[in-house]
Each structure stands twice: as C-alpha cells, then as structure tokens.
C-alpha cells in the first residue's frame, strides 16, 4: 500500500482533493491511503509515508518540508490541477514519483 499525504495550511482545502484522489484510485484499483493534514501535524504522519504533496498556497514551505521529510519525496501540486481539483492527474503523478523513488 502506498501512503500519500496532502498538506496545506490547515488541512481544509486539501480534503476536497483527497476525496477526488480516492475516487480516482478506486477507478484504477490502486492500493493507496491518502490523507490531508495541516502543516503543524507533519511529524505525526511521516512514518510510512511515500510522498508528501503540498498545496500551491504553501509552496514557500517546500525547502522546510523537504528537510523535515527525511528523504520522502515532497512536491508542490500544480496550481492549475489544484484549482480544477484534478484528482486523477495528481494521483497518477504521485504514483509515478513513488515508483521512480
């Protein structure tokens, strides 16, 4: 099972994206667990995480989160994909990054 974390300032806006990504995962029968978290709770969720996706509104935290992630890939979600809530595309990109890792 792959574990994907989506992070934004409070974990609220990414919760909609999580729903869309879970629906996309169900369509392709992907074995994933996807959660939205607030920045403050990152340390509680690092164990077992395969990738961390940042909402575009916190892209300025990329370096900080990358340093805290201890080798876990960290990426910023594309603004257009985030704005259109394209869960399918974001899920596919995350899975591709995990596979390369």
């Amino acid at each position: 099972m792959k574990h994907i974390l989506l992070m934004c300032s409070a974990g609220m806006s990414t919760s909609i994206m999580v729903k869309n990504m879970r629906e996309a995962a169900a369509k392709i029968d992907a074995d994933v667990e996807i959660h939205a978290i607030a920045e403050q709770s990152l340390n509680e969720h690092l164990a077992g995480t395969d990738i961390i996706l940042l909402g575009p509104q916190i892209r300025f935290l990329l370096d900080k989160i990358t340093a805290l992630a201890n080798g876990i890939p960290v990426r910023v979600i594309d603004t257009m994909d985030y704005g259109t809530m394209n869960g399918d595309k974001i899920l596919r990109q995350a899975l591709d990054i995990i596979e390369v890792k």
Side-chain angles (χ1 to χ4, degrees), residues 3-7 42 46 48-54 62 65-76 93-101:
H3 292 73
I4 301 172
L5 287 183
L6 276 68
M7 186 167 48
L42 176 62
L46 284 176
T49 295
D50 293 296
I51 190 167
I52 301 167
L53 302 175
L54 306 180
L62 179 62
I65 301 304
T66 300
L68 294 172
N70 296 321
I72 298 168
V74 180
R75 301 292 187 277
V76 176
Q93 290 172 344
L95 293 174
D96 287 346
I97 292 165
I98 292 169
E99 290 304 316
V100 169
K101 179 186 132 188

Side-chain angles (χ1 to χ4, degrees), residues 4-96:
I4 301 172
L5 287 183
L6 276 68
M7 186 167 48
C8 67
S9 297
M12 298 295 188
S13 61
T14 51
S15 62
I16 298 168
M17 181 60 71
V18 166
K19 177 183 172 289
N20 292 350
M21 290 176 69
R22 286 178 180 163
E23 289 172 359
K27 289 178 188 173
I28 62 170
D29 200 29
D31 190 16
V32 296
E33 191 171 302
I34 308 167
H35 295 284
I37 63 166
E39 172 196 349
Q40 299 83 349
S41 65
L42 176 62
N43 287 332
E44 300 165 27
H45 297 280
L46 284 176
T49 295
D50 293 296
I51 190 167
I52 301 167
L53 302 175
L54 306 180
Q57 68 274 30
I58 61 166
R59 72 177 353 106
F60 65 93
L61 294 174
L62 179 62
D63 292 339
K64 175 185 174 184
I65 301 304
T66 300
L68 294 172
N70 296 321
I72 298 168
V74 180
R75 301 292 187 277
V76 176
I77 298 171
D78 178 79
T79 303
M80 184 64 77
D81 294 335
Y82 194 83
T84 59
M85 290 287 147
N86 192 338
D88 179 61
K89 185 174 180 184
I90 294 167
L91 174 67
R92 282 186 280 119
Q93 290 172 344
L95 293 174
D96 287 346

